[in-house]
Amino acid sequence: MSLLEISDLVVGYGPHPVLHGLDFVVEEGELCVLLGLNGAGKTTTVSTIAGLLRPQRGQVRLDGQVLGRSSPSARVRKGISLSPEGRRIFPRLTVRQNLRLGGWSQRRSPKVVKSQLDLALDYFPRLAEREDQLAGTLSGGEQQMLAVARALMSRPRLLLIDEASLGLSPTLARTVWEVAARIRRDGTTVLMVEQNAGALPFADRALIMEKGTLVHTAVGEAIRDVNLRETYLGV
Ligand SMILES: Nc1ncnc2c1ncn2[C@@H]1O[C@H](COP(=O)(O)OP(=O)(O)O)[C@@H](O)[C@H]1O
Ligand SMILES: [Mg+2]
């Protein structure tokens, strides 16, 4: 059974859907990259998985269990966590306060909160150096790191990362992807949304999205295929 299974997903913001019957799976332990141009429907997809949007049709299953109409917070408790597009950190709170809020669902397990905090700061040492700094005063790259670290605080089974590399220098983008790969090696399944094909070498599974549908799926070595890059990405 796949950890995440999307079937026949139709989602829109009004009467007209922007996702037209999406089907895909993410296996437990994978780093999956969902790649597509601006407007392809990537944010709509991960927002629906996180419970922020209701599908007009179709299902999201976690471990075979239909998530149905369950709320975003119920999904966090089931193990789904989102690092949203645009970061959405709390600028007037410190780094540590932002992280503690990310661990809200675990507030009755101080040991879990402590171990996730240690883990998040180990992944992102730059945040450890800035724990007492107001988040709004961090650089763009550091704010992105904080958004991913905050999403880790709930100890997810499935971490959704929406466009972590947007607006970052190539070096910082690479750093964020390397941490995503490390998170996956440590056992958390990752679904990473990207416009940047530079993320592909980090993927176990690549999904290419155009205009609300998947036009290609590649697993393992096929991701390195030159044709995939030429046909779908024009690189
Ligand atoms: N809040 C919204 N209201 C209406 N249309 C939206 C909204 N958000 C996104 N869309 C539309 O849905 C489509 C997919 O958007 P989105 O999922 O954000 O794509 P991506 O994340 O791949 O850039 C686009 O055509 C976009 O204009
Ligand atoms: Mg988006």
Side-chain angles (χ1 to χ4, degrees):
M1 193 195 306
S2 305
L3 180 62
L4 178 72
E5 187 182 346
I6 303 295
S7 45
D8 192 28
L9 202 63
V10 176
V11 188
Y13 297 88
H16 305 293
V18 300
L19 300 183
H20 308 283
L22 212 55
D23 293 287
F24 68 88
V25 298
V26 179
E27 302 295 345
E28 180 130 48
E30 282 184 336
L31 196 175
C32 176
V33 170
L34 175 59
L35 197 70
L37 298 177
N38 200 14
K42 307 179 297 296
T43 295
T44 305
T45 303
V46 288
S47 300
T48 306
I49 297 169
L52 298 166
L53 294 171
R54 296 237 178 276
Q56 295 169 9
R57 202 175 75 206
Q59 302 292 357
V60 177
R61 286 184 179 81
L62 187 75
D63 245 350
Q65 191 192 356
V66 174
L67 294 180
R69 301 179 66 81
S70 63
S71 67
S73 57
R75 292 179 196 217
V76 171
R77 289 193 295 275
K78 286 181 200 292
I80 297 177
S81 192
L82 171 67
S83 169
E85 186 177 60
R87 297 148 197 176
R88 306 289 180 93
I89 52 143
F90 304 106
R92 290 168 179 279
L93 299 183
T94 65
V95 166
R96 191 189 295 110
Q97 288 167 332
N98 269 272
L99 292 173
R100 292 222 165 255
L101 281 174
W104 180 249
S105 65
Q106 298 284 4
R107 64 193 178 280
R108 289 190 188 85
S109 319
K111 274 192 182 154
V112 173
V113 173
K114 174 78 171 73
S115 71
Q116 289 310 108
L117 188 63
D118 290 347
L119 186 66
L121 296 177
D122 186 50
Y123 285 137
F124 297 108
R126 288 168 74 144
L127 296 180
E129 293 162 15
R130 292 162 174 77
E131 257 194 279
D132 297 311
Q133 196 171 320
L134 293 183
T137 65
L138 297 174
S139 72
E142 289 158 358
Q143 291 190 15
Q144 185 58 62
M145 292 174 191
L146 180 57
V148 175
R150 184 183 56 184
L152 273 174
M153 287 297 298
S154 61
R155 196 167 68 174
R157 294 182 67 194
L158 174 66
L159 174 63
L160 309 170
I161 305 176
D162 195 352
E163 296 242 27
S165 71
L166 201 69
L168 302 192
S169 71
T171 313
L172 269 181
R174 226 193 133 71
T175 304
V176 172
W177 296 333
E178 278 166 2
V179 171
R182 212 181 127 201
I183 291 168
R184 165 224 175 268
R185 279 201 302 281
D186 289 345
T188 302
T189 307
V190 182
L191 173 56
M192 191 159 77
V193 162
E194 278 293 338
Q195 278 186 59
N196 187 337
L200 284 181
F202 298 89
D204 303 297
R205 176 182 303 266
L207 309 169
I208 317 278
M209 192 172 201
E210 278 176 15
K211 295 179 186 149
T213 56
L214 286 183
V215 291
H216 194 75
T217 302
V219 179
E221 276 312 301
I223 298 171
R224 263 51 84 184
D225 190 337
V226 181
N227 286 329
L228 176 138
R229 301 178 71 87
E230 283 178 356
T231 311
Y232 297 105
L233 309 170
V235 289

